[in-house]
Amino acid sequence: MKSFLLPTLAAFALSSCTTINLSHKGALFKKSMESISSADLKKHLYIIASDEMEGRETGSEGQKKAGKYMISEYKKMGVSHPNTIESFYQTVPQEYLGARRGKTYPESENILAFIEGTEKPHEIIVLSAHYDHVGKNKAGEIFNGADDDGSGTVALMEIAEAFQLAKKAGKAPKRSVLFLHVTAEEIGLVGSKYYVENPVFPLANTVANLNIDMIGRSDPENKGKNYVYVIGSDKLSTSLKKINEASNAATVNLELNYKYDDPNDPEMLYYRSDHYNFAKNNVPAAFYFDGIHEDYHRPTDTPDKIDYELLKKRTQLVFATAWELANREERIVVDVKSSQ
């Protein structure tokens, strides 16, 4: 998650009552959700957040190594890239990244994996997480970024595998699902900004964005709790928050904390991760987050400190919400007036 703030915007309306009829039924959904395991999340994260990746700074060789690993795993699953592009890569040019904070960044890449829908393939659910981090400090210490955002990166991979298992069993989603691993989040949400300005599918066809940025730890006030912060889910659509709550109640039953939806909260987290670029473009979005902990943006954000059981439950919640968004009869609508 990026460490600087964007300007304050006005508050948004709260969601109204909506009836949600879930599609979380049957053994296949359960089997797919249970395929998301703490063991697999741990296996992937110990690679993504290893010293070999050198902190995954935007455009670095370490980040590119992490990207190659992710793509190799997608290929093993049988998950490909969108047919609107020639590979898993969406290049973000060096001139677009430019010079930021006194430093020039080289060309980098968003990584896109895709499962096509059966009944409404042109309607897209976008799941996002950034796979960059902040590299090394002047002393050469590696900032592994296990939680930020290695946790979101591996969550997307596991969710893709769960959808792919359902597809292989004859239950591909009705709507298409795009797994968007963005670069350059840490230098100002640049990779997601590039995507929404150069979408591989029209933004008008993007039903919702579920963004995962730090879901592997607990902050001091929630130690020992099965919780997750959900941010922004009612800012544009009255349905998205209700769907997420119903999906949670039907599956992992986490405590959903809406602290950061308060427009007066000083952290202003609604504006600080990649979902915001979708929300600015009128796409309903929810941001899943574990809070600010003692290792945030420090070399001590390492994979041994991740709560893998809690990471699994949070990942399963995002999967369950995405499953409902992808399989329900009607796409959710934008029905809350935005002042953005």
Side-chain angles (χ1 to χ4, degrees), residues 123-302:
E123 294 184 10
I124 316 295
I125 312 299
V126 177
L127 276 63
S128 60
H130 70 92
Y131 74 108
D132 65 305
H133 195 50
V134 298
K136 303 177 184 178
N137 62 17
K138 292 180 179 179
E141 292 178 294
I142 296 171
F143 288 64
N144 299 95
D147 194 26
D148 187 10
D149 185 27
S151 61
T153 299
V154 300
L156 249 60
M157 295 165 67
E158 281 290 283
I159 293 169
E161 186 173 36
F163 270 108
Q164 184 68 356
L165 285 171
K167 178 182 176 180
K168 288 179 178 178
K171 178 64 174 175
K174 293 179 180 179
R175 294 178 179 83
S176 296
V177 185
L178 175 65
F179 302 91
L180 175 62
H181 297 270
V182 294
T183 187
E185 190 270 356
E186 296 287 4
I187 60 173
L189 314 184
V190 181
S192 55
K193 183 173 184 287
Y194 186 82
Y195 177 82
V196 298
E197 291 176 359
N198 303 274
V200 300
F201 301 104
L203 281 187
N205 293 353
T206 302
V207 174
N209 168 232
L210 304 181
N211 182 56
I212 313 172
D213 192 352
M214 298 174 58
I215 60 165
R217 298 278 298 270
S218 297
D219 62 10
E221 67 187 81
N222 287 290
K223 291 288 186 183
K225 294 182 181 179
N226 283 312
Y227 79 100
V228 67
Y229 292 106
V230 184
I231 303 170
S233 60
D234 62 359
K235 304 303 187 191
L236 292 170
S237 172
T238 56
S239 297
L240 182 54
K241 181 177 181 178
K242 299 291 186 183
I243 288 170
N244 186 67
E245 289 181 337
S247 299
N248 179 60
T251 57
V252 291
N253 201 29
L254 293 171
E255 177 186 328
L256 304 181
N257 191 316
Y258 299 108
K259 169 185 174 179
Y260 292 115
D261 273 342
D262 181 351
N264 297 313
D265 188 273
E267 295 289 347
M268 295 172 62
L269 288 170
Y270 178 64
Y271 313 101
R272 290 175 57 184
S273 192
D274 292 299
H275 64 285
Y276 185 64
N277 281 317
F278 287 92
K280 284 196 300 184
N281 285 275
N282 226 33
V283 175
F287 166 25
Y288 299 85
F289 179 58
D290 60 23
I292 304 293
H293 53 73
E294 62 272 18
D295 295 310
Y296 170 66
H297 276 211
R298 294 184 178 181
T300 46
D301 181 9
T302 50

